[in-house]
């Protein structure tokens, strides 16, 4: 698990590597100002941190599947005596772990 | 009513840019309408962000005061709640695609944006195809929990990616 400082260092390097970046303002395409480059680094660092800390929530939501599909799994498990739904949920959680 | 929408600013992406800013919000109008048409990222699977531009110095506000709650109506899932507080930007759309026809289209109403005495709010109605080609329709809104005067908004993609296309038009709603 990377620290916030380590992720910021990665973000700084990525923005440097991506130069030149351009902004569209007042119908003019121009290169970022120094302040905009600095802000882009901060924003990217924040996004990397949020993705690391909270990205699992969105990933789990998508992987769980619809409530209808899950209810269907539960119904079949009850009828067949299987554990498909429980195993599915456990796998989604283990595939997308919550950061320690 | 005829003539009730007054065009303030329009930005058309014709070559790659990492940010698009719309400015010109002031006390002339209470409510502004922002329409985004055929917006797409240069690279696949990117979330679309929005931040306010401060009236005081025209800098972008990236403090952790952005709260939003939206619901994604998806053809691949029944729905998905997307809510966050104290973020450094609003997330308007998720996992947008860069392939042909995977454009994003949004309509936002902006409230109290220029008021220095109130929080700024927006409502969102959006529709587009995600990077897997599935329809994602995001509906909801957000609040910027700072009583601060803002003169515009700035759009960026996740991970600092470029815009490949898009027409952004800002209107004032005549009082």
């Amino acid at each position: 698990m990377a620290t916030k400082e380590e992720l910021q260092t990665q973000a700084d390097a990525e923005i440097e590597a991506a130069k030149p970046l351009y902004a569209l303002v007042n119908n003019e395409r121009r290169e970022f100002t120094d302040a905009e480059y600095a802000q882009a680094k901060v924003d990217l660092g924040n996004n990397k941190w949020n993705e690391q800390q909270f990205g699992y929530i969105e990933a789990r939501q998508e992987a769980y599947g619809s409530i209808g599909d899950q209810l269907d799994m539960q119904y079949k498990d009850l009828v067949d005596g299987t554990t498909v739904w429980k195993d599915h949920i456990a796998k989604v959680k283990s595939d997308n772990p919550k950061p320690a | 009513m005829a003539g009730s929408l007054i065009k303030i600013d329009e930005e058309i992406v014709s070559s790659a840019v990492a940010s698009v800013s719309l400015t010109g919000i002031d006390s002339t109008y209470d409510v502004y309408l922002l329409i985004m048409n055929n917006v797409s990222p240069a690279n696949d699977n990117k979330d679309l962000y929005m931040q306010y531009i401060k009236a005081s110095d025209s800098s972008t506000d990236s403090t952790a005061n952005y709260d939003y709650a939206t619901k994604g109506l998806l053809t691949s899932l029944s729905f998905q709640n997307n809510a966050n507080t104290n973020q450094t930007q609003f997330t308007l759309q998720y996992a947008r695609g860069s392939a042909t026809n995977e454009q994003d289209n949004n309509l936002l109403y902006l409230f109290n944006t220029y008021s220095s005495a109130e929080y700024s709010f927006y409502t969102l109605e959006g529709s587009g195809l995600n990077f897997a080609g599935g329809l994602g329709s995001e509906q909801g809104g957000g609040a910027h929990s700072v009583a601060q005067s803002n003169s515009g908004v700035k759009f960026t993609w996740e991970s600092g990616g470029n815009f490949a296309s898009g027409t952004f038009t800002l209107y004032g709603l005549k009082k």
Side-chain angles (χ1 to χ4, degrees), chain A residues 66-79:
Chain A
S66 72
I67 290 174
D69 286 345
Q70 291 187 57
L71 287 171
D72 193 47
M73 282 185 213
Q74 291 181 0
Y75 168 74
K76 288 175 178 168
D77 281 344
L78 281 172
V79 170

Side-chain angles (χ1 to χ4, degrees), chain B residues 40-67:
Chain B
S40 63
N43 296 302
D44 246 352
N45 195 10
K46 300 294 182 188
D47 295 353
L48 178 63
Y49 298 148
M50 182 176 83
Q51 295 170 306
Y52 286 108
I53 297 170
K54 293 188 276 187
S56 58
D57 60 3
S58 298
S59 66
T60 308
D61 190 335
S62 60
T63 56
N65 291 297
Y66 292 86
D67 304 342

